[in-house]
Amino acid sequence: MLILDNIPALLVAIPLLASAVVSLLPSARIAWGFAFFTTLICLYMAVELVGIISSTQALSYAFGGWEPPWGIVFVLDSANVYLVLLVAFVSVIATLYAYTMLAREIAVEDLPKAYAVWLLAIASLFGLAMTGDAFNLFVFLEISALSSITLIALGAGQDRRALLAAYNYLIIGAIGATFYVIGVGYLYAATGSLNLIDITDRLNELGTNQAAITGLAFMLAGIMVKAGVFPVHIWLPAAYSFAPSAVSSLLAAVATKVAIYYFARLLFGIFIDITQLVDFFLLYILMPVSVLAIFYGTIAAIYQSDFKRLFALSSIAQIGYITFAFSLNSHSGISAGFIHIINHALIKGALFMAVGIFALGIGSRATMSSMQGVGRQMPITFAGFVLAGLALIGVPLTAGFISKLYLFKAIFETGNGFYVALIALSSVLSVLYLWKIFEVMWLKEPVQPLKSDKEPASAYLPVWLMVGVIMIFGVYSGEVISSGIGAANALIGAR
Amino acid sequence: MSINLIVLYWNYIIVIMLMMAGLYIIISNQNFIKKLVGLSIFQSSVFIFYISLGKVSGGTAPILTGIEDTVYSNPLPHVLILTAIVVGVATNALGLALVVRIQEAFKSIEEHKLLALKKEDGLKDIQIEDSKEDSAV
């Protein structure tokens, strides 16, 4: 079948072409319908891909018939196929959510163009997740950055500080991307190849090579900026908190996750011949930095009163959990990291969506003072919000519990009980900020009537779809766990 | 020896100088347009780095001449840089567009003025406690 054979290319090409069409459509409704239809097709193709990978293990798609290592390839294996599915699923839900929410936050005449950029961002995320070419990745990284920046800047209609957040992201993101290109240059100078699999083979032949090590260090630094890893996260809180809520939920859910996946692939896929250096990096740099990220994010969130900024800060802590799991440098650690990538994407997506609905209800930003009693006025959204919040803490029967369980399991395997205590402490701290929100929203009397009479069903339906998946993954967690183990198998071999 | 090194690798030395100059401009300047200029210099230094990588001394353009033992330069890094230049132009264009919007919205593109304004703004209408967040860590 022509279509089935070309799914990897079509996953990028269809949203890319659709984005050009959408920008020309006259009305916002038609544009939304077209965009939604496109994301549905992508979801269908992603499901097909999972089927293909589960039977064939790995798939390499060479563009234009140029065989690797000469041509550009898309590589799919059990490490990234679930990520592709995750991006496809979240983009469907977020587009559904955008129907009501984006329309109320930005000017009507801008909507078709906004959906065009929206599809561009989705296309680039698919590309980032699949590409097996180091330089091609840079191109997708920049498409993703430029489209995200444009989407964030759309928040200027609500709050002009969105422009500053977008500008900061542009500068910091461009420095990160340029660092990545410098790294690719070094690696190319050392190996003469851009294909990641080919680079690995050639590095194994070369042995320890200073240029290659420098190159990989530059590449990792660049990717860390994009992933929002702790010391270089500074663009993230402002960007997520001033973007329109539909954009926040899409970006917070999947944009950083795709970068984190690639970070893991670089760390464990390529650094084969210099394990000593990798061990050093993981144990003495990434692990302390992750612990700092977890505590910085959580404590800063406790002191934060703006809801969106609070959850953006908590994202930094959650990314800290993922990098912490990776830094354990074991099969179970990598599995735990990938399980948390999926679970946290769903949880944070749902939380940002719910906060957007609350803000819309009261007609101003969601803060501790403006949100008093809003939970009582919007009970359906609030119930979903609370469930997602419980999942964020890691309460049993939610997907978050599975993440924490596997993280603890991975830590116990390394035999360091100290870190178990640290992670447990950070979970307790995260209860604090969620309790604070619960107290304000549910236990206090409502102070003002809602601007819009009731919760729009088209807005809380996506929240509940996400929450539904979170709860299902909390109980029937087999699929997620096996995807995490599959990812670890693909990256460092079965154990 | 050291002079030899400088003569041999002078293009790489220039790359490093430009790179550091660009980064320094981005970090030290208050003006948003000057920051973008710094970013351009930073990116251009990487372009020169790639172009230097692909150059083979005595090599010609990679067009089949029919003469045996012709030395060709490596065209691939040059092609990559064509892509990177396009990306750089797009980044700059978007950055400048944002600067125009910032000027319209805030009546200033100087970072220190905007930071002062941001704090005021936050206290007035939305109560975002930036200072609190900073002191928490």
Side-chain angles (χ1 to χ4, degrees):
Chain A
M1 270 266 289
L2 186 66
I3 293 176
L4 279 181
D5 286 344
N6 292 308
I7 283 182
L10 288 176
L11 260 179
V12 176
I14 287 181
L16 205 62
L17 292 176
S19 107
V21 177
V22 163
S23 66
L24 299 173
L25 292 176
S27 104
R29 281 222 175 140
I30 302 172
W32 177 82
F34 201 91
F36 186 60
F37 183 62
T38 311
T39 55
L40 279 180
I41 294 175
C42 289
L43 181 62
Y44 168 74
M45 289 193 297
V47 172
E48 284 288 329
L49 262 187
V50 172
I52 293 172
I53 295 299
S54 58
S55 60
T56 61
Q57 297 306 318
L59 180 83
S60 172
Y61 181 89
F63 274 89
W66 292 88
E67 290 303 312
W70 295 284
I72 291 172
V73 283
F74 275 6
V75 180
L76 278 148
D77 53 26
S78 39
N80 59 0
V81 74
Y82 292 99
L83 195 73
V84 171
L85 184 63
L86 177 77
V87 173
F89 176 75
V90 171
S91 57
V92 168
I93 305 282
T95 312
L96 191 64
Y97 176 77
Y99 178 70
T100 333
M101 301 304 291
L102 209 54
R104 299 192 189 188
E105 288 180 6
I106 67 176
V108 183
E109 64 270 19
D110 289 341
L111 273 173
K113 285 172 234 154
Y115 286 123
V117 183
W118 177 270
L119 285 176
L120 211 56
I122 291 170
S124 68
L125 290 177
F126 282 128
L128 278 173
M130 289 189 290
T131 187
D133 183 283
F135 196 83
N136 188 233
L137 188 115
F138 161 70
V139 177
F140 280 124
L141 212 56
E142 282 298 53
I143 299 175
S144 154
L146 294 180
S147 52
S148 314
I149 289 161
T150 315
L151 287 171
I152 291 164
L154 284 174
Q158 297 260 303
D159 188 321
R160 57 183 179 163
R161 282 173 296 173
L163 293 170
L164 293 179
Y167 182 85
N168 274 337
Y169 184 14
L170 181 116
I171 295 286
I172 298 165
I175 295 175
T178 312
F179 263 62
Y180 178 81
V181 187
I182 298 170
V184 174
Y186 273 103
L187 218 53
Y188 181 75
T191 63
S193 180
L194 291 169
N195 182 299
L196 290 175
I197 298 165
D198 196 38
I199 288 175
T200 313
D201 293 344
R202 291 183 186 212
L203 278 182
N204 281 339
E205 280 170 29
L206 276 172
T208 311
N209 179 307
Q210 289 295 335
I213 295 170
T214 317
L216 286 166
F218 268 115
M219 283 163 87
L220 284 179
I223 292 291
M224 279 165 88
V225 174
K226 296 286 178 182
V229 176
F230 169 59
V232 282
H233 67 277
I234 39 170
W235 58 270
L236 193 146
Y240 286 2
S241 55
F242 295 122
S245 42
V247 175
S248 304
S249 59
L250 178 73
L251 294 184
V254 284
T256 48
K257 303 301 175 302
V258 175
I260 276 277
Y261 146 76
Y262 190 69
F263 179 73
R265 171 140 276 185
L266 273 183
L267 264 181
F268 300 110
I270 293 191
F271 274 165
I272 284 176
D273 213 44
I274 42 170
T275 33
Q276 275 186 330
L277 268 176
V278 176
D279 290 349
F280 178 84
F281 172 74
L282 290 175
L283 190 63
Y284 293 106
I285 300 175
L286 194 62
M287 192 178 273
V289 157
S290 308
V291 172
L292 272 177
I294 292 169
F295 281 93
Y296 164 79
T298 312
I299 293 171
I302 293 171
Y303 284 93
Q304 187 53 247
S305 75
D306 185 84
F307 279 25
K308 271 175 112 176
R309 205 182 179 96
L310 186 153
F311 285 117
L313 288 165
S314 117
S315 268
I316 292 163
Q318 300 292 324
I319 290 164
Y321 285 120
I322 296 170
T323 51
F324 181 80
F326 289 154
S327 76
L328 293 169
N329 199 11
S330 65
H331 188 272
S332 52
I334 298 172
S335 320
F338 273 87
I339 291 170
H340 197 50
I341 285 181
I342 293 180
N343 288 341
H344 176 243
L346 298 168
I347 295 167
K348 204 38 74 67
L351 286 172
F352 269 109
M353 284 178 185
V355 171
I357 299 173
F358 297 144
L360 192 73
I362 56 163
S364 76
R365 282 188 77 85
T367 62
M368 289 293 174
S369 49
S370 69
M371 274 289 132
Q372 286 183 21
V374 175
R376 296 188 190 184
Q377 291 164 307
M378 301 180 130
I380 305 173
T381 316
F382 187 67
F385 177 78
V386 168
L387 285 176
L390 290 176
L392 190 69
I393 303 168
V395 172
L397 294 181
T398 63
F401 177 67
I402 306 297
S403 297
K404 289 270 160 71
L405 190 69
Y406 272 75
L407 187 58
F408 281 136
K409 196 175 146 237
I411 300 171
F412 271 122
E413 271 176 26
T414 64
N416 199 335
F418 174 63
Y419 287 117
V420 177
L422 277 182
I423 302 292
L425 177 65
S426 70
S427 298
V428 173
L429 285 175
S430 67
V431 173
L432 277 182
Y433 62 75
L434 286 160
W435 172 255
K436 226 171 94 179
I437 293 174
F438 182 78
E439 191 188 351
V440 165
M441 292 189 68
W442 189 254
L443 299 181
K444 290 203 172 150
E445 291 294 323
V447 284
Q448 53 182 352
L450 291 181
K451 288 267 161 45
S452 51
D453 318 332
K454 60 185 174 70
E455 309 157 76
S458 57
Y460 67 69
L461 181 72
V463 176
W464 272 98
L465 280 173
M466 293 282 247
V467 171
V469 176
I470 293 168
M471 302 315 279
I472 290 169
F473 281 174
V475 182
Y476 302 100
S477 49
E479 279 296 308
V480 182
I481 293 166
S482 64
S483 80
I485 292 170
N489 285 343
L491 287 183
I492 60 169
R495 296 258 168 100
Chain B
M1 177 61 198
S2 61
I3 292 196
N4 233 349
L5 266 181
I6 292 172
V7 173
L8 264 176
Y9 297 113
W10 64 274
N11 41 355
Y12 292 103
I13 292 166
I14 287 177
V15 166
I16 293 168
M17 282 164 60
L18 280 177
M19 203 178 272
M20 292 305 116
L23 262 183
Y24 179 76
I25 294 171
I26 299 173
I27 295 165
S28 68
N29 250 294
Q30 297 286 323
N31 186 295
F32 279 180
I33 288 184
K34 286 181 185 166
K35 272 176 189 281
L36 281 175
V37 171
L39 191 65
S40 284
I41 295 173
F42 181 51
Q43 287 174 331
S44 307
S45 75
V46 181
F47 302 162
I48 300 174
F49 170 62
Y50 267 71
I51 293 165
S52 305
L53 279 183
K55 175 67 184 166
V56 177
S57 51
T60 72
I63 301 163
L64 283 177
T65 53
I67 309 160
E68 276 183 34
D69 297 335
T70 318
V71 179
Y72 296 118
S73 284
N74 184 353
L76 188 80
H78 300 180
V79 177
L80 295 182
I81 279 323
L82 273 182
T83 315
I85 287 172
V86 174
V87 170
V89 168
T91 311
N92 264 308
L94 182 61
L96 289 171
L98 278 174
V99 171
V100 171
R101 293 290 308 276
I102 290 172
Q103 166 70 28
E104 282 170 7
F106 293 89
K107 305 280 175 266
S108 169
I109 53 166
E110 299 287 326
E111 197 170 25
H112 59 274
K113 282 184 193 163
L114 287 172
L115 282 178
L117 212 68
K118 208 168 148 188
K119 289 251 158 72
E120 247 172 58
D121 229 27
L123 289 177
K124 214 163 48 202
D125 46 59
I126 5 206
Q127 293 167 341
I128 289 195
E129 287 131 351
D130 275 352
S131 52
K132 236 185 181 180
E133 181 204 320
D134 293 340
S135 63
V137 177

